[in-house]
């Protein structure tokens, strides 16, 4: 390497190290509201469903049901999420809220896993497990810190009643509930993000989308929103696949919601 190339490489390295703090400082001065993806970012959907399944099996004392692989059950239910929303997006289904999409998926799963003989009330209770998801350990404290400086709200594909119940059950301190249901478009559609921005009376650059999913953040960025990545290595369980982000890939890259609050000066 020539001296000239070496000097250039050092300069680029120095600039990249300086970029993240400078970008965070700029973000802190422009962002007024932070919108959060919920499933996997704020709440632990997989662990919560497994825990409810184990409790249900224990309560009914049925040897057959006690052998259900609840981790696989949770994964299969979640795996149906994106294809179900795509059916709405393509017009195969009319606008259908997430509770109803979850129920369509659950009806098939109950047959697949041999969950027979349940009453309608029991099936409905199972379907609303998504209303009872538990928060990640850092979530409530981190959100409470951010709430002191920013407007905070979910921006989830979950419907409004689901997100409201979730907030009550998990103690999530939202300022308001925003949802894809309000736009009648699921993320990552443009309308889902910009309807939320408009309802807040803000500009896209004044709103940050925070999520553990890179695709959600890339879509938000393409519509002018700021982005905050939150690393959730255990969303899919031990050894499961999780999104990663490098420093500078998004406006803020954090290890959890508490770290996000620290980087945003809250």
């Amino acid at each position: 390497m020539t001296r000239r190339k070496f000097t250039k490489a050092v300069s680029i390295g120095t600039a990249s190290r300086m970029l993240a703090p400078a970008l965070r400082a700029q973000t802190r001065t422009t962002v007024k509201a932070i919108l959060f993806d919920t499933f996997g970012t704020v709440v632990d959907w997989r662990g919560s469903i497994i825990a409810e399944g184990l409790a249900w099996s224990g309560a009914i004392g049925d040897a057959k049901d006690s052998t259900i692989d609840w981790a696989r059950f949770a994964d299969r239910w979640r795996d149906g999420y994106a294809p179900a929303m795509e059916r709405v997006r393509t017009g195969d289904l009319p606008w259908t809220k997430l509770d109803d999409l979850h129920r369509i998926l659950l009806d098939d799963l109950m047959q697949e896993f041999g969950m027979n003989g349940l009453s309608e009330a029991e099936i409905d209770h199972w379907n609303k497990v998504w209303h009872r998801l538990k928060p990640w350990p850092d979530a409530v404290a981190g959100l409470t810190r951010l709430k002191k400086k920013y407007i905070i709200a979910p921006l989830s594909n979950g419907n409004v009643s689901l997100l409201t119940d979730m907030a009550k059950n998990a103690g999530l301190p939202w300022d308001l509930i925003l949802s894809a249901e309000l736009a009648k478009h699921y993320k990552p559609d443009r309308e889902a993000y910009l309807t939320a921005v408009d309802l807040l009376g803000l500009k896209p650059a004044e709103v940050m989308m925070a999520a553990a999913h890179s695709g959600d953040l890339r879509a938000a960025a393409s519509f002018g929103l700021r982005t905050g990545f939150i690393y959730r290595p255990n969303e899919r369980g031990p050894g499961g696949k999780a999104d990663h982000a490098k420093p500078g890939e998004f406006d803020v890259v954090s290890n959890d919601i508490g770290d996000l609050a620290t980087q945003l000066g809250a």
Side-chain angles (χ1 to χ4, degrees):
M1 177 184 288
T2 66
R3 180 169 180 168
R4 187 173 188 178
K5 289 183 178 179
F6 175 78
T7 302
K8 183 177 181 181
V10 171
S11 299
I12 292 172
T14 302
S16 65
R17 287 194 298 273
M18 294 174 65
L19 176 61
L23 189 57
R24 286 196 297 270
Q26 182 185 19
T27 300
R28 286 197 295 266
T29 60
T30 58
V31 169
K32 296 179 180 179
I34 306 175
L35 307 180
F36 286 82
D37 171 66
T38 54
F39 303 121
T41 299
V42 177
V43 294
D44 175 11
W45 58 266
R46 189 176 191 271
S48 300
I49 292 173
I50 292 170
E52 287 229 12
L54 292 172
W56 183 72
S57 292
I60 64 174
D62 190 313
K64 179 180 179 181
D65 288 316
S66 67
T67 63
I68 291 175
D69 183 344
W70 291 110
R72 183 169 174 271
F73 178 88
D75 290 338
R76 290 278 292 115
W77 205 352
R78 179 65 173 177
D79 287 344
Y81 171 79
M85 290 188 297
E86 186 63 18
R87 291 183 64 192
V88 175
R89 190 174 288 111
T90 60
D92 184 43
L93 286 175
W95 170 257
T96 306
K97 67 182 181 180
L98 192 59
D99 269 343
D100 293 338
L101 294 180
H102 277 154
R103 176 59 189 266
I104 292 169
L105 297 169
L106 177 61
D107 287 344
D108 291 338
L109 284 175
M110 290 176 64
Q111 293 186 30
E112 179 182 339
F113 285 83
M115 296 169 65
N116 303 312
L118 276 69
S119 68
E120 177 59 30
E122 289 172 321
I123 297 171
D124 184 64
H125 182 77
W126 251 117
N127 197 50
K128 288 182 177 175
V129 68
W130 297 93
H131 295 222
R132 301 187 296 274
L133 302 180
K134 303 300 182 185
W136 292 110
D138 58 275
V140 174
L143 291 173
T144 300
R145 287 171 58 192
L146 286 164
K147 182 183 174 76
K148 295 176 181 179
K149 185 172 181 179
Y150 303 96
I151 297 166
I152 62 167
L155 179 54
S156 169
N157 285 327
N159 43 281
V160 172
S161 62
L162 184 161
L163 295 171
T164 302
D165 287 346
M166 180 193 292
K168 286 288 189 183
N169 291 320
L172 305 175
W174 305 125
D175 289 307
L176 71 161
I177 300 293
L178 295 173
S179 162
E181 183 181 21
L182 299 174
K184 297 291 190 290
H185 280 269
Y186 285 118
K187 294 185 298 178
D189 287 359
R190 175 180 182 273
E191 292 86 349
Y193 301 98
L194 295 187
T195 296
V197 171
D198 182 63
L199 288 170
L200 289 170
L202 298 174
K203 299 175 182 177
E206 295 175 318
V207 179
M208 172 176 283
M209 185 72 214
H213 311 120
S214 298
D216 195 355
L217 296 182
R218 291 192 188 101
S222 73
F223 305 126
L225 281 72
R226 295 289 193 171
T227 53
F229 179 82
I230 300 167
Y231 182 44
R232 292 298 186 199
N234 295 318
E235 179 184 358
R236 285 279 180 174
K241 184 179 179 181
D243 284 1
H244 297 260
K246 298 177 181 178
E249 189 172 347
F250 300 106
D251 292 310
V252 179
V253 174
S254 63
N255 294 320
D256 57 29
I257 297 178
D259 183 30
L260 180 71
T262 297
Q263 293 194 51
L264 291 176

